[in-house]
Amino acid sequence: MNTLFTIPNLLSILRMCFTFLFVHSLLNDKITKSILFLSICILTDFLDGFFARVFKQKTKIGVLLDPLADKVLVISTLIVLMVKNYLPWWFFSIIIIRETLVIAGWIVTYQHTPQSFPKPRFLGKVSIALLMITLIIVVLNIHLQYEIVSDIINELFFLTSVFVTGSLVDYIGYAR
């Protein structure tokens, strides 16, 4: 199946649209709206994979569109949170370096084998899920302003960094 108009593909496109609404809301300190838009992004991320499997609507376009929508969400969220001083520079740097290298790996892989696209790795999925949980908690903390959450966030920054770094090493090993 190679059509753009499948439920999973439309959900990935919808995720990118809601990512821009999320970023706009966060930049303008409309935290409640940003939480709503981020929740929709996360829900569409779950649902696109679910519908692709259940309705057997896996497409070549979707294989590219889903991780692209994820990268747009993750990178734009990181940039906004960093600009607003809600992330430590070291955490931001680790995630951005990983995302940049993964995207570069996609490009190199596609240049050498255009008929295939790198498959997600288990550790990569776990690290991105942990990263999204961390970013959600950061955004919720902006809204709730709880001091106790700050300790949890610092632990999540560290744990997420370890998993993200591990997934990068895993991707590099897999690529070799």
Side-chain angles (χ1 to χ4, degrees):
M1 180 180 275
N2 282 326
T3 180
L4 175 64
F5 299 106
T6 64
I7 293 171
N9 291 350
L10 293 173
L11 286 169
S12 292
I13 293 167
L14 188 64
R15 181 162 68 256
M16 284 192 262
C17 295
F18 274 99
T19 295
F20 294 112
L21 293 172
F22 162 69
V23 166
H24 182 268
S25 298
L26 194 56
L27 280 171
N28 291 296
D29 296 318
K30 297 180 186 213
I31 305 303
T32 304
K33 278 187 179 180
S34 68
I35 291 169
L36 172 68
F37 293 139
L38 182 58
S39 299
I40 292 170
C41 289
I42 293 165
L43 181 63
T44 59
D45 187 24
F46 169 75
L47 290 176
D48 69 359
F50 174 77
F51 284 127
R53 284 185 297 278
V54 169
F55 296 122
K56 296 180 176 53
Q57 292 185 335
K58 186 176 179 181
T59 65
K60 288 182 181 179
I61 296 167
V63 168
L64 176 64
L65 209 51
D66 177 46
L68 177 64
D70 291 344
K71 298 296 178 218
V72 168
L73 176 61
V74 167
I75 292 170
S76 59
T77 302
L78 285 167
I79 290 170
V80 172
L81 291 174
M82 186 64 193
V83 166
K84 304 275 280 166
N85 292 319
Y86 292 120
L87 295 178
W89 66 268
W90 61 267
F91 179 77
F92 174 83
S93 299
I94 289 170
I95 307 302
I96 289 296
I97 289 168
R98 186 251 190 213
E99 294 301 310
T100 303
L101 291 175
V102 167
I103 291 168
W106 287 356
I107 293 168
V108 168
T109 301
Y110 185 76
Q111 286 177 334
H112 292 341
T113 56
Q115 69 278 6
S116 70
F117 195 74
K119 293 183 178 173
R121 307 275 296 159
F122 176 75
L123 195 54
K125 286 183 173 263
V126 170
S127 69
I128 290 301
L130 189 55
L131 174 60
M132 289 311 300
I133 291 167
T134 301
L135 296 176
I136 290 165
I137 291 175
V138 169
V139 174
L140 284 171
N141 191 50
I142 296 165
H143 179 67
L144 300 173
Q145 300 176 350
Y146 288 134
E147 277 300 312
I148 205 156
V149 178
S150 296
D151 292 333
I152 295 168
I153 290 172
N154 288 330
E155 298 296 327
L156 279 172
F157 285 152
F158 177 75
L159 184 64
T160 301
S161 297
V162 169
F163 272 85
V164 164
T165 303
S167 76
L168 178 60
V169 170
D170 180 54
Y171 275 120
I172 290 170
Y174 177 71
R176 298 182 95 214

